[in-house]
Each structure stands twice: as structure tokens, then as C-alpha cells.
Amino acid sequence: MRVKGWGVVLSVCLLGWMGCEPASDAPSPGAQAAEEMLVEEPGERDQEEALMAPTPEVEGPAGELAAKVYEAHGGPRWPQVKELGFRFVVKAGEEERFAATHDWKVWDGEDRVQWTDNEGQAWDVTVDLASREASEATLDGTPVEGEPLKAAGEAAYQRWVNDAYWLLMPIKVFDPGVSLEYGGEVGEEGQRRQVLELSFEGVGLTPGDRYEVQVDPQTGEVRAWTMHLQGDRPPSTVLWGGYEELGPLRLPLERTWEGGERQIVFDTLRVQ
């Protein structure tokens, strides 16, 4: 079942141990959200009610489960998010292996990304998410221009693709090019979870990736996903937890690989 959603296209990306392996497209609401802002200036409550994204209507069990996930994580209220700041952190036990800081101006379609690459070089890049072009960038504090600036923009865009999707996947289930299938139930009696299968039709950098998302049937919250990545790698199951209220959103801030110490966490979150 292929579905169409709202927003300009964000992207999916899967994580290598120290970096980013882009996967497929998910939506960037920036420019379109700005275009859909009200012309008039209503009261605060009226404005919040107007800045809502209706849950898409998709028939069948996959569509019903996707709607439950979308609504449980604040999907209809996503247009209210003007700015989103967060730090994407990869850990092995208590050791921090990688971190990238994002200052995402959602309505402007721009992200400032700061990270240190595998060679120990510190990047600070402001990228336009529609064009993938950097407006400015520094490497170890020194401004870059020309081809290095172009490469910096693409690198920052791919970081945003990866990191934002890990954080926001539950409200991206109706994005353009996403195909939904119902995968039945898994788990023991009393802890049964419904499975929502996500695949991608001709979008993104690795459209062959596929996800089996395990959903709490009572709350619509994501408890885990199994990643089938493009290529010959075996699937990995990652547990999702640490739910928090973040302005109009409700999101889990911890991702832990089943049976290991590898983990992704999100901290220093800021939602406006």
C-alpha cells in the first residue's frame, strides 16, 4: 500500500557505527509549512488549531495502525514546530562515540549542523534543506569556500537526513513514497505488538531498505524496529524507549540495539 502525506521531502538514513549511511526520503516540512502559515493573525488557540496536519485516511489494517502511530507521537501537531534543536549521540555503553548537534529552523527549511568527523575535524555547517547547499561553513574554525563548501553542504544534509529520521520516524509514516503493510503480531501473550512494515518506492539514497516497526496496540507507541538494510547485512532489531513530551510532540529519546551496548540517544532537546 503506497501512501502520500504532507510536507516537502526529509529523508531516511541508517547509521553506520561512526557515521551515516543515507537510506531513503522522509519529509522536510520547512518550506511548505511556511507557505501554509496563516495570512491573518488569529489568537493563540485559533492559531494552534489552524496549524494542524489532518491524519491521512488510508484504508486497511496498515493504514489504521500507521494513523495510530502518527497521532500518538504528535503528527497532527507537527506544523506547530517552528524550531527543533537536538543532539544525536551514538554510545557504546557509557562511552560517547559520536555526536552531532542540530539547530533546525523548521519553517525556514534550514539546519545548522555541528559534528566531528572520523578524522577528528570539526565541522559547523548551515545548510538549506531544499537545495542541499551550505550558506556558510567552517572546518576547525576556518571558513571554507568553493568546492569544499559544496561538499560541506551535502555532508550536513546527509547528517540531517539520518539524525532527524531516527528522531521523527513515527510522524513520517505517511510521507510520499512510503509503502505500508500490516505485518501481524509478535511477542508473548500479554505483551503482543502489532507490526507496521515500511518500505520505499523509488525515493531516497538507499530505497531498498525496509523496516518492521513494532507498535504497542494500546498506545500507538513504537517499542522496536527491525532494520533490513540494502545490501547483504543481516537485520538488526533496535529497542525504542524513554518517551518524553516535547512541546506538541511525544517522542522516544533512546534507541538500544537488542543484545548489545550500542545505543543512540537524543539530548539537549529544544522545541519552539
Side-chain angles (χ1 to χ4, degrees):
M1 177 187 303
R2 184 172 182 175
V3 299
K4 293 184 178 180
W6 55 275
V8 188
V9 176
L10 235 190
S11 300
V12 175
C13 185
L14 291 187
L15 179 74
W17 180 230
M18 293 294 291
C20 167
E21 300 172 2
S24 58
D25 276 358
S28 162
Q32 181 164 327
E35 292 172 0
E36 293 175 352
M37 289 175 60
L38 300 178
V39 175
E40 298 179 356
E41 297 182 358
E44 182 176 349
R45 177 177 295 182
D46 291 340
Q47 188 175 28
E48 288 182 356
E49 291 177 353
L51 291 176
M52 298 283 284
T55 302
E57 295 183 3
V58 179
E59 295 182 356
E64 293 173 1
L65 184 56
K68 186 179 294 185
V69 171
Y70 180 78
E71 292 176 353
H73 296 82
R77 297 181 296 279
W78 170 252
Q80 298 172 20
V81 179
K82 300 177 183 179
E83 298 183 12
L84 177 59
F86 64 93
R87 202 169 71 108
F88 170 94
V89 182
V90 181
K91 301 176 69 176
E94 296 302 315
E95 181 184 358
E96 186 174 298
R97 293 290 188 90
F98 176 83
T101 300
H102 294 261
D103 183 9
W104 180 9
K105 302 295 191 295
V106 178
W107 283 14
D108 294 337
E110 178 182 274
D111 191 16
R112 179 184 179 187
V113 192
Q114 297 170 289
W115 77 99
T116 300
D117 64 22
N118 291 340
E119 298 178 359
Q121 301 177 109
W123 291 92
D124 186 341
V125 184
T126 300
V127 59
D128 181 286
L129 299 174
S131 67
R132 307 188 186 188
E133 295 179 354
S135 58
E136 58 183 349
T138 63
L139 176 60
D140 290 330
T142 301
V144 297
E145 298 178 350
E147 285 301 316
L149 181 63
K150 181 177 180 180
E154 183 63 30
Y157 175 80
Q158 291 192 17
R159 274 258 60 95
W160 168 77
V161 163
N162 181 79
D163 305 352
Y165 193 77
W166 272 101
L167 178 64
L168 299 173
M169 179 278 293
I171 64 174
K172 303 304 179 187
V173 291
F174 290 116
D175 283 351
V178 177
S179 293
L180 305 174
E181 296 291 341
Y182 181 66
E185 295 187 350
V186 296
E188 302 296 330
E189 189 66 31
Q191 294 183 329
R192 302 292 286 175
R193 298 169 180 169
Q194 294 178 304
V195 177
L196 180 65
E197 298 181 357
L198 307 179
S199 58
F200 308 93
E201 297 186 10
V203 295
L205 301 174
T206 54
D209 292 347
R210 182 169 57 86
Y211 306 85
E212 297 171 358
V213 182
Q214 297 181 24
V215 180
D216 184 316
Q218 302 302 318
T219 65
E221 294 180 349
V222 175
R223 300 302 181 209
W225 72 359
T226 298
M227 307 181 298
H228 299 263
L229 306 186
Q230 184 169 301
D232 297 328
R233 288 172 290 180
S236 299
T237 297
V238 182
L239 309 179
W240 291 44
Y243 270 84
E244 291 189 14
E245 303 290 338
L246 303 167
L249 308 178
R250 176 170 171 78
L251 297 171
L253 305 184
E254 300 174 357
R255 315 283 186 268
T256 304
W257 267 249
E258 190 173 57
E261 293 187 325
R262 182 179 178 183
Q263 188 178 44
I264 292 173
V265 298
F266 297 90
D267 61 23
T268 62
L269 283 114
R270 175 180 55 82
V271 179
Q272 294 182 337

